[in-house]
Amino acid sequence: DTGVSQDPRHKITKRGQNVTFRCDPISEHNRLYWYRQTLGQGPEFLTYFQNEAQLEKSRLLSDRFSAERPKGSFSTLEIQRTEQGDSAMYLCASSLSRGPTEAFFGQGTRLTVV
Amino acid sequence: AQKVTQAQTEISVVEKEDVTLDCVYETRDTTYYLFWYKQPPSGELVFLIRRNSFDEQNEISGRYSWNFQKSTSSFNFTITASQVVDSAVYFCALSASRGDTGRRALTFGSGTRLQVQP
């Protein structure tokens, strides 16, 4: 296993279009997180899964955003009716749930909405 | 609410200089974890260290060392004899177990960009 994998790495879309990102976590990790990072800022928490259950969503996650993790493996993050303010790096991370373990991050998907 | 403050936006040093990156945190939780991550130009966040709130021992790993002081809510990071490859953005982060979900999501600071000049 080579780590957390995200696809695509880059996405340019027109305002109003829908986009979907995929994250494949480290295989034995049952916790999966999505973060958003804008230029010059640290990552901000969006949502969290433990196995297939979405346990928490940030207030940053508007109704246009939806995340799924079917079967507790890979996860998808969909943004509907994209806006220019959605332009950011979307980071996925995974970790074990036993004890306080560090999260391992993917390389992110950079979204540009034009 | 949790908050992490990295007051230094950007630091520039010459190779072989020592440099300290500051991190101050706020949390009401009694059990929490502190982290440092490195983000090189490639974009991937690389884990450097984790400390829990009950362990205030300083730690050294090669050229890296960390000073955790609960009394001042600080978790500073020192790079000794900096190298050009240390150039990156460094993030301090805080995680606390919250309620039943125990989500342990990270609250990040805004990062410190370190530039090491040859």
Side-chain angles (χ1 to χ4, degrees), chain B residues 61-104:
Chain B
S61 175
R63 296 185 296 107
Y64 296 168
S65 62
W66 291 270
N67 182 301
F68 175 30
Q69 292 197 333
K70 211 168 178 178
S71 60
T72 56
S73 298
S74 66
F75 185 43
N76 296 337
F77 173 30
T78 297
I79 301 174
T80 303
S82 59
Q83 299 176 0
V84 173
V85 294
D86 296 327
S87 297
V89 181
Y90 290 86
F91 290 98
C92 180
L94 169 69
S95 168
S97 179
R98 290 301 188 92
D100 294 335
T101 68
R103 64 169 166 90
R104 301 189 188 281

Side-chain angles (χ1 to χ4, degrees), chain A residues 33 35 37 56 100 102-103, chain B residues 33 37 39 44 50 103 106:
Chain A
Y33 306 83
Y35 291 83
Q37 185 178 20
E56 189 165 350
E102 61 272 19
Chain B
Y33 302 89
Y37 282 84
Q39 189 174 42
E44 184 173 349
R50 176 189 71 246
R103 64 169 166 90
L106 296 163

Side-chain angles (χ1 to χ4, degrees), chain B residues 2-114:
Chain B
Q2 298 178 119
K3 185 178 179 182
V4 176
T5 301
Q6 293 181 257
Q8 303 152 309
T9 305
E10 187 163 344
I11 300 175
S12 183
V13 299
V14 177
E15 207 169 18
K16 297 185 184 178
E17 285 186 16
D18 298 347
V19 57
T20 295
L21 310 181
D22 297 334
C23 172
V24 174
Y25 63 91
E26 297 175 29
T27 180
R28 293 179 183 173
D29 295 279
T30 55
T31 301
Y32 52 88
Y33 302 89
L34 295 163
F35 301 79
W36 276 94
Y37 282 84
K38 174 181 180 180
Q39 189 174 42
S42 61
E44 184 173 349
L45 282 158
V46 177
F47 165 79
L48 295 178
I49 189 171
R50 176 189 71 246
R51 303 298 285 175
N52 73 52
S53 51
F54 297 109
D55 183 1
E56 289 192 67
Q57 276 192 332
N58 292 331
E59 183 158 338
I60 298 174
S61 175
R63 296 185 296 107
Y64 296 168
S65 62
W66 291 270
N67 182 301
F68 175 30
Q69 292 197 333
K70 211 168 178 178
S71 60
T72 56
S73 298
S74 66
F75 185 43
N76 296 337
F77 173 30
T78 297
I79 301 174
T80 303
S82 59
Q83 299 176 0
V84 173
V85 294
D86 296 327
S87 297
V89 181
Y90 290 86
F91 290 98
C92 180
L94 169 69
S95 168
S97 179
R98 290 301 188 92
D100 294 335
T101 68
R103 64 169 166 90
R104 301 189 188 281
L106 296 163
T107 298
F108 284 86
S110 55
T112 297
R113 179 177 298 278
L114 174 65

Side-chain angles (χ1 to χ4, degrees), chain A residues 45-85:
Chain A
F45 169 73
L46 292 178
T47 190
Y48 154 62
F49 291 85
Q50 179 144 318
N51 300 312
E52 66 276 8
Q54 187 174 21
L55 296 185
E56 189 165 350
K57 294 192 288 187
S58 161
R59 281 173 287 182
L60 292 175
L61 213 65
S62 76
D63 292 344
R64 297 184 295 105
F65 287 69
S66 63
E68 294 183 342
R69 193 184 182 195
K71 303 178 184 178
S73 55
F74 72 93
S75 175
T76 58
L77 177 68
E78 181 183 15
I79 308 174
Q80 296 182 325
R81 304 181 303 283
T82 52
E83 301 172 357
Q84 286 191 321

